[in-house]
Short mmCIF file of all heavy atoms in Angstrom, two decimals:
data_model
loop_
_atom_site.label_atom_id
_atom_site.label_comp_id
_atom_site.label_asym_id
_atom_site.label_seq_id
_atom_site.Cartn_x
_atom_site.Cartn_y
_atom_site.Cartn_z
N ASP A 149 -8.67 12.76 -37.26
CA ASP A 149 -8.97 13.94 -36.44
C ASP A 149 -9.45 13.48 -35.07
O ASP A 149 -9.25 14.15 -34.07
CB ASP A 149 -10.07 14.77 -37.10
CG ASP A 149 -9.60 15.38 -38.42
OD1 ASP A 149 -8.53 16.02 -38.41
OD2 ASP A 149 -10.27 15.18 -39.45
N CYS A 150 -10.11 12.33 -35.10
CA CYS A 150 -10.63 11.79 -33.84
C CYS A 150 -10.66 10.28 -33.91
O CYS A 150 -11.02 9.72 -34.95
CB CYS A 150 -12.04 12.34 -33.59
SG CYS A 150 -12.90 11.52 -32.23
N THR A 151 -10.24 9.61 -32.85
CA THR A 151 -10.33 8.15 -32.78
C THR A 151 -11.13 7.79 -31.54
O THR A 151 -10.88 8.35 -30.46
CB THR A 151 -8.93 7.52 -32.72
OG1 THR A 151 -8.21 7.90 -33.89
CG2 THR A 151 -9.01 6.01 -32.65
N ILE A 152 -12.08 6.90 -31.72
CA ILE A 152 -12.93 6.49 -30.59
C ILE A 152 -12.69 5.01 -30.31
O ILE A 152 -12.76 4.19 -31.23
CB ILE A 152 -14.42 6.73 -30.92
CG1 ILE A 152 -14.64 8.22 -31.24
CG2 ILE A 152 -15.31 6.29 -29.76
CD1 ILE A 152 -16.04 8.55 -31.70
N ALA A 153 -12.38 4.67 -29.08
CA ALA A 153 -12.18 3.26 -28.74
C ALA A 153 -13.53 2.57 -28.67
O ALA A 153 -14.48 3.10 -28.10
CB ALA A 153 -11.46 3.15 -27.40
N VAL A 154 -13.60 1.40 -29.29
CA VAL A 154 -14.87 0.67 -29.30
C VAL A 154 -14.65 -0.77 -28.86
O VAL A 154 -13.56 -1.32 -28.97
CB VAL A 154 -15.53 0.65 -30.70
CG1 VAL A 154 -15.91 2.05 -31.13
CG2 VAL A 154 -14.62 -0.01 -31.73
N ILE A 155 -15.71 -1.36 -28.34
CA ILE A 155 -15.64 -2.76 -27.92
C ILE A 155 -16.91 -3.46 -28.39
O ILE A 155 -17.98 -2.85 -28.45
CB ILE A 155 -15.47 -2.85 -26.38
CG1 ILE A 155 -15.16 -4.27 -25.96
CG2 ILE A 155 -16.68 -2.30 -25.64
CD1 ILE A 155 -14.49 -4.38 -24.61
N GLU A 156 -16.77 -4.73 -28.75
CA GLU A 156 -17.94 -5.52 -29.17
C GLU A 156 -18.84 -5.77 -27.97
O GLU A 156 -18.36 -6.20 -26.91
CB GLU A 156 -17.47 -6.89 -29.69
CG GLU A 156 -16.76 -6.85 -31.03
CD GLU A 156 -17.70 -6.62 -32.20
OE1 GLU A 156 -18.91 -6.92 -32.07
OE2 GLU A 156 -17.21 -6.13 -33.24
N VAL A 157 -20.12 -5.51 -28.10
CA VAL A 157 -21.06 -5.86 -27.04
C VAL A 157 -22.14 -6.76 -27.64
O VAL A 157 -22.34 -6.74 -28.86
CB VAL A 157 -21.72 -4.61 -26.41
CG1 VAL A 157 -20.70 -3.78 -25.66
CG2 VAL A 157 -22.43 -3.77 -27.45
N PRO A 158 -22.83 -7.56 -26.83
CA PRO A 158 -23.92 -8.38 -27.37
C PRO A 158 -25.00 -7.48 -27.98
O PRO A 158 -25.27 -6.40 -27.43
CB PRO A 158 -24.47 -9.11 -26.14
CG PRO A 158 -23.42 -9.00 -25.10
CD PRO A 158 -22.63 -7.76 -25.39
N LEU A 159 -25.58 -7.91 -29.08
CA LEU A 159 -26.58 -7.09 -29.78
C LEU A 159 -27.72 -6.69 -28.84
O LEU A 159 -28.23 -5.58 -28.90
CB LEU A 159 -27.11 -7.85 -31.01
CG LEU A 159 -27.96 -7.03 -31.98
CD1 LEU A 159 -27.15 -5.89 -32.59
CD2 LEU A 159 -28.53 -7.93 -33.08
N SER A 160 -28.05 -7.63 -27.93
CA SER A 160 -29.17 -7.36 -27.02
C SER A 160 -28.90 -6.17 -26.10
O SER A 160 -29.81 -5.51 -25.62
CB SER A 160 -29.45 -8.60 -26.18
OG SER A 160 -28.27 -8.98 -25.50
N GLU A 161 -27.59 -5.91 -25.83
CA GLU A 161 -27.27 -4.81 -24.91
C GLU A 161 -26.89 -3.54 -25.65
O GLU A 161 -26.66 -2.50 -25.01
CB GLU A 161 -26.11 -5.22 -24.00
CG GLU A 161 -26.49 -6.24 -22.96
CD GLU A 161 -25.31 -6.62 -22.09
OE1 GLU A 161 -24.36 -5.81 -21.97
OE2 GLU A 161 -25.31 -7.75 -21.57
N ALA A 162 -26.78 -3.64 -26.99
CA ALA A 162 -26.21 -2.52 -27.76
C ALA A 162 -26.99 -1.23 -27.58
O ALA A 162 -26.42 -0.14 -27.68
CB ALA A 162 -26.12 -2.90 -29.23
N SER A 163 -28.29 -1.34 -27.26
CA SER A 163 -29.09 -0.12 -27.16
C SER A 163 -28.74 0.71 -25.93
O SER A 163 -29.23 1.82 -25.77
CB SER A 163 -30.58 -0.47 -27.17
OG SER A 163 -30.84 -1.35 -26.11
N ARG A 164 -27.88 0.17 -25.03
CA ARG A 164 -27.49 0.96 -23.85
C ARG A 164 -26.28 1.85 -24.14
O ARG A 164 -25.88 2.65 -23.31
CB ARG A 164 -27.13 0.02 -22.69
CG ARG A 164 -28.35 -0.66 -22.06
CD ARG A 164 -27.92 -1.71 -21.04
NE ARG A 164 -26.78 -1.26 -20.25
CZ ARG A 164 -25.82 -2.06 -19.81
NH1 ARG A 164 -25.85 -3.35 -20.10
NH2 ARG A 164 -24.81 -1.58 -19.11
N PHE A 165 -25.65 1.63 -25.31
CA PHE A 165 -24.38 2.31 -25.58
C PHE A 165 -24.49 3.28 -26.76
O PHE A 165 -25.50 3.29 -27.47
CB PHE A 165 -23.31 1.27 -25.92
CG PHE A 165 -23.01 0.32 -24.79
CD1 PHE A 165 -23.66 -0.90 -24.70
CD2 PHE A 165 -22.08 0.66 -23.82
CE1 PHE A 165 -23.39 -1.77 -23.65
CE2 PHE A 165 -21.80 -0.20 -22.78
CZ PHE A 165 -22.46 -1.42 -22.70
N GLY A 166 -23.41 4.04 -26.97
CA GLY A 166 -23.27 4.79 -28.21
C GLY A 166 -22.70 3.83 -29.24
O GLY A 166 -21.66 3.22 -29.01
N ILE A 167 -23.40 3.64 -30.34
CA ILE A 167 -23.01 2.61 -31.30
C ILE A 167 -22.40 3.24 -32.57
O ILE A 167 -22.88 4.24 -33.08
CB ILE A 167 -24.24 1.73 -31.67
CG1 ILE A 167 -24.75 0.99 -30.42
CG2 ILE A 167 -23.92 0.75 -32.79
CD1 ILE A 167 -23.77 -0.01 -29.84
N MET A 168 -21.29 2.62 -33.04
CA MET A 168 -20.57 3.13 -34.21
C MET A 168 -20.86 2.26 -35.43
O MET A 168 -20.97 1.05 -35.32
CB MET A 168 -19.04 3.02 -33.98
CG MET A 168 -18.54 3.68 -32.75
SD MET A 168 -18.57 5.44 -32.96
CE MET A 168 -18.47 5.90 -31.26
N TYR A 169 -20.93 2.92 -36.55
CA TYR A 169 -20.98 2.20 -37.82
C TYR A 169 -19.75 2.62 -38.60
O TYR A 169 -19.45 3.81 -38.68
CB TYR A 169 -22.26 2.55 -38.57
CG TYR A 169 -23.50 2.21 -37.79
CD1 TYR A 169 -24.05 3.11 -36.89
CD2 TYR A 169 -24.10 0.95 -37.95
CE1 TYR A 169 -25.18 2.79 -36.15
CE2 TYR A 169 -25.23 0.63 -37.21
CZ TYR A 169 -25.76 1.54 -36.31
OH TYR A 169 -26.87 1.21 -35.58
N THR A 170 -19.01 1.66 -39.15
CA THR A 170 -17.77 2.02 -39.83
C THR A 170 -17.73 1.41 -41.23
O THR A 170 -18.46 0.47 -41.52
CB THR A 170 -16.54 1.48 -39.07
OG1 THR A 170 -16.63 0.06 -39.02
CG2 THR A 170 -16.45 2.05 -37.67
N ASP A 171 -16.85 1.97 -42.07
CA ASP A 171 -16.61 1.33 -43.37
C ASP A 171 -15.52 0.28 -43.19
O ASP A 171 -15.05 0.03 -42.08
CB ASP A 171 -16.25 2.38 -44.43
CG ASP A 171 -14.93 3.06 -44.14
OD1 ASP A 171 -14.17 2.57 -43.28
OD2 ASP A 171 -14.63 4.09 -44.78
N GLU A 172 -15.08 -0.33 -44.31
CA GLU A 172 -14.13 -1.46 -44.19
C GLU A 172 -12.77 -1.04 -43.63
O GLU A 172 -12.03 -1.86 -43.10
CB GLU A 172 -13.98 -2.20 -45.54
CG GLU A 172 -13.34 -1.38 -46.65
CD GLU A 172 -14.34 -0.47 -47.36
OE1 GLU A 172 -15.47 -0.25 -46.85
OE2 GLU A 172 -14.00 0.03 -48.44
N ASN A 173 -12.45 0.25 -43.69
CA ASN A 173 -11.16 0.70 -43.15
C ASN A 173 -11.23 1.11 -41.68
O ASN A 173 -10.25 1.58 -41.12
CB ASN A 173 -10.65 1.91 -43.95
CG ASN A 173 -10.46 1.55 -45.41
OD1 ASN A 173 -10.00 0.46 -45.73
ND2 ASN A 173 -10.85 2.46 -46.30
N GLY A 174 -12.40 0.95 -41.09
CA GLY A 174 -12.55 1.35 -39.70
C GLY A 174 -12.93 2.81 -39.53
O GLY A 174 -13.01 3.31 -38.42
N ARG A 175 -13.15 3.50 -40.67
CA ARG A 175 -13.56 4.89 -40.56
C ARG A 175 -15.03 4.97 -40.18
O ARG A 175 -15.88 4.26 -40.73
CB ARG A 175 -13.31 5.62 -41.89
CG ARG A 175 -13.60 7.09 -41.78
CD ARG A 175 -13.00 7.88 -42.91
NE ARG A 175 -13.52 9.25 -42.86
CZ ARG A 175 -13.09 10.22 -43.63
NH1 ARG A 175 -12.14 9.99 -44.52
NH2 ARG A 175 -13.60 11.42 -43.53
N ILE A 176 -15.33 5.83 -39.22
CA ILE A 176 -16.69 5.90 -38.71
C ILE A 176 -17.57 6.64 -39.71
O ILE A 176 -17.26 7.74 -40.15
CB ILE A 176 -16.74 6.61 -37.34
CG1 ILE A 176 -15.89 5.83 -36.34
CG2 ILE A 176 -18.17 6.76 -36.84
CD1 ILE A 176 -15.65 6.55 -35.04
N THR A 177 -18.70 5.99 -40.08
CA THR A 177 -19.60 6.61 -41.04
C THR A 177 -20.84 7.14 -40.33
O THR A 177 -21.49 8.08 -40.79
CB THR A 177 -20.04 5.58 -42.09
OG1 THR A 177 -20.54 4.42 -41.40
CG2 THR A 177 -18.88 5.18 -42.97
N GLU A 178 -21.18 6.51 -39.23
CA GLU A 178 -22.40 6.90 -38.55
C GLU A 178 -22.25 6.60 -37.08
O GLU A 178 -21.54 5.69 -36.68
CB GLU A 178 -23.57 6.08 -39.12
CG GLU A 178 -24.92 6.72 -38.94
CD GLU A 178 -26.04 5.73 -39.31
OE1 GLU A 178 -25.85 4.93 -40.24
OE2 GLU A 178 -27.07 5.76 -38.61
N PHE A 179 -22.92 7.41 -36.27
CA PHE A 179 -22.85 7.20 -34.83
C PHE A 179 -24.24 7.42 -34.27
O PHE A 179 -24.92 8.38 -34.62
CB PHE A 179 -21.88 8.23 -34.22
CG PHE A 179 -21.94 8.30 -32.72
CD1 PHE A 179 -21.25 7.36 -31.96
CD2 PHE A 179 -22.67 9.29 -32.07
CE1 PHE A 179 -21.31 7.42 -30.57
CE2 PHE A 179 -22.72 9.34 -30.68
CZ PHE A 179 -22.03 8.40 -29.93
N SER A 180 -24.73 6.50 -33.46
CA SER A 180 -26.01 6.81 -32.80
C SER A 180 -25.93 6.49 -31.31
O SER A 180 -25.50 5.42 -30.90
CB SER A 180 -27.17 6.09 -33.48
OG SER A 180 -26.89 4.73 -33.57
N GLU A 181 -26.33 7.46 -30.53
CA GLU A 181 -26.28 7.36 -29.08
C GLU A 181 -27.51 6.57 -28.60
O GLU A 181 -28.64 6.94 -28.86
CB GLU A 181 -26.27 8.78 -28.48
CG GLU A 181 -26.16 8.87 -26.97
CD GLU A 181 -24.77 8.53 -26.43
OE1 GLU A 181 -23.79 8.64 -27.19
OE2 GLU A 181 -24.68 8.15 -25.25
N LYS A 182 -27.28 5.46 -27.95
CA LYS A 182 -28.34 4.60 -27.41
C LYS A 182 -29.47 4.35 -28.42
O LYS A 182 -30.64 4.73 -28.18
CB LYS A 182 -28.89 5.17 -26.11
CG LYS A 182 -27.78 5.25 -25.06
CD LYS A 182 -28.27 5.68 -23.70
CE LYS A 182 -27.09 5.69 -22.74
NZ LYS A 182 -27.02 6.84 -21.86
N PRO A 183 -29.16 3.70 -29.55
CA PRO A 183 -30.19 3.49 -30.58
C PRO A 183 -31.23 2.45 -30.15
O PRO A 183 -30.90 1.52 -29.42
CB PRO A 183 -29.37 2.97 -31.77
CG PRO A 183 -28.19 2.32 -31.15
CD PRO A 183 -27.88 3.06 -29.89
N LYS A 184 -32.48 2.64 -30.63
CA LYS A 184 -33.54 1.68 -30.26
C LYS A 184 -33.34 0.36 -30.99
O LYS A 184 -33.53 -0.72 -30.44
CB LYS A 184 -34.90 2.26 -30.62
CG LYS A 184 -35.29 3.41 -29.68
CD LYS A 184 -36.78 3.37 -29.33
CE LYS A 184 -37.14 4.41 -28.29
NZ LYS A 184 -36.92 5.80 -28.78
N ASN A 185 -32.95 0.44 -32.28
CA ASN A 185 -32.74 -0.79 -33.05
C ASN A 185 -31.32 -0.82 -33.62
O ASN A 185 -31.11 -0.54 -34.79
CB ASN A 185 -33.74 -0.87 -34.21
CG ASN A 185 -35.16 -0.90 -33.68
OD1 ASN A 185 -35.52 -1.78 -32.89
ND2 ASN A 185 -35.96 0.08 -34.09
N PRO A 186 -30.36 -1.16 -32.79
CA PRO A 186 -28.98 -1.12 -33.25
C PRO A 186 -28.69 -2.17 -34.32
O PRO A 186 -29.21 -3.28 -34.25
CB PRO A 186 -28.17 -1.42 -31.98
CG PRO A 186 -29.12 -2.11 -31.08
CD PRO A 186 -30.49 -1.64 -31.41
N LYS A 187 -27.88 -1.78 -35.32
CA LYS A 187 -27.52 -2.74 -36.36
C LYS A 187 -26.04 -3.10 -36.26
O LYS A 187 -25.54 -3.93 -37.00
CB LYS A 187 -27.82 -2.15 -37.75
CG LYS A 187 -29.31 -2.12 -38.05
CD LYS A 187 -29.56 -1.44 -39.38
CE LYS A 187 -30.94 -0.79 -39.43
NZ LYS A 187 -31.07 0.40 -38.57
N SER A 188 -25.33 -2.44 -35.33
CA SER A 188 -23.92 -2.75 -35.14
C SER A 188 -23.72 -3.08 -33.67
O SER A 188 -24.56 -2.74 -32.82
CB SER A 188 -23.08 -1.54 -35.54
OG SER A 188 -21.82 -1.59 -34.90
N THR A 189 -22.64 -3.78 -33.36
CA THR A 189 -22.38 -4.13 -31.97
C THR A 189 -21.10 -3.46 -31.47
O THR A 189 -20.53 -3.86 -30.47
CB THR A 189 -22.24 -5.65 -31.82
OG1 THR A 189 -21.28 -6.10 -32.78
CG2 THR A 189 -23.55 -6.36 -32.04
N MET A 190 -20.66 -2.44 -32.20
CA MET A 190 -19.44 -1.74 -31.81
C MET A 190 -19.81 -0.57 -30.90
O MET A 190 -20.34 0.44 -31.37
CB MET A 190 -18.73 -1.22 -33.05
CG MET A 190 -17.50 -2.02 -33.40
SD MET A 190 -16.57 -1.14 -34.62
CE MET A 190 -17.54 -1.42 -36.05
N ALA A 191 -19.54 -0.73 -29.60
CA ALA A 191 -19.97 0.29 -28.65
C ALA A 191 -18.83 1.21 -28.29
O ALA A 191 -17.69 0.77 -28.12
CB ALA A 191 -20.50 -0.38 -27.39
N SER A 192 -19.14 2.49 -28.15
CA SER A 192 -18.12 3.45 -27.73
C SER A 192 -17.78 3.21 -26.26
O SER A 192 -18.64 3.00 -25.42
CB SER A 192 -18.66 4.88 -27.90
OG SER A 192 -17.84 5.77 -27.16
N MET A 193 -16.48 3.23 -25.95
CA MET A 193 -16.04 3.02 -24.57
C MET A 193 -15.89 4.35 -23.83
O MET A 193 -15.41 4.37 -22.70
CB MET A 193 -14.69 2.29 -24.57
CG MET A 193 -14.75 0.90 -25.19
SD MET A 193 -13.09 0.25 -25.58
CE MET A 193 -12.36 0.11 -23.96
#
Side-chain angles (χ1 to χ4, degrees):
Chain A
D149 294 308
C150 170
T151 300
I152 302 175
V154 296
I155 190 159
E156 289 286 336
V157 293
L159 191 62
S160 56
E161 288 179 25
S163 57
R164 287 173 40 215
F165 297 94
I167 297 296
M168 305 287 162
Y169 300 88
T170 61
D171 66 13
E172 65 277 15
N173 300 320
R175 185 163 171 174
I176 300 169
T177 52
E178 203 190 325
F179 168 81
S180 52
E181 183 73 23
K182 299 186 179 136
K184 289 219 174 64
N185 299 302
K187 286 176 208 71
S188 157
T189 52
M190 255 192 285
S192 164
M193 298 164 64

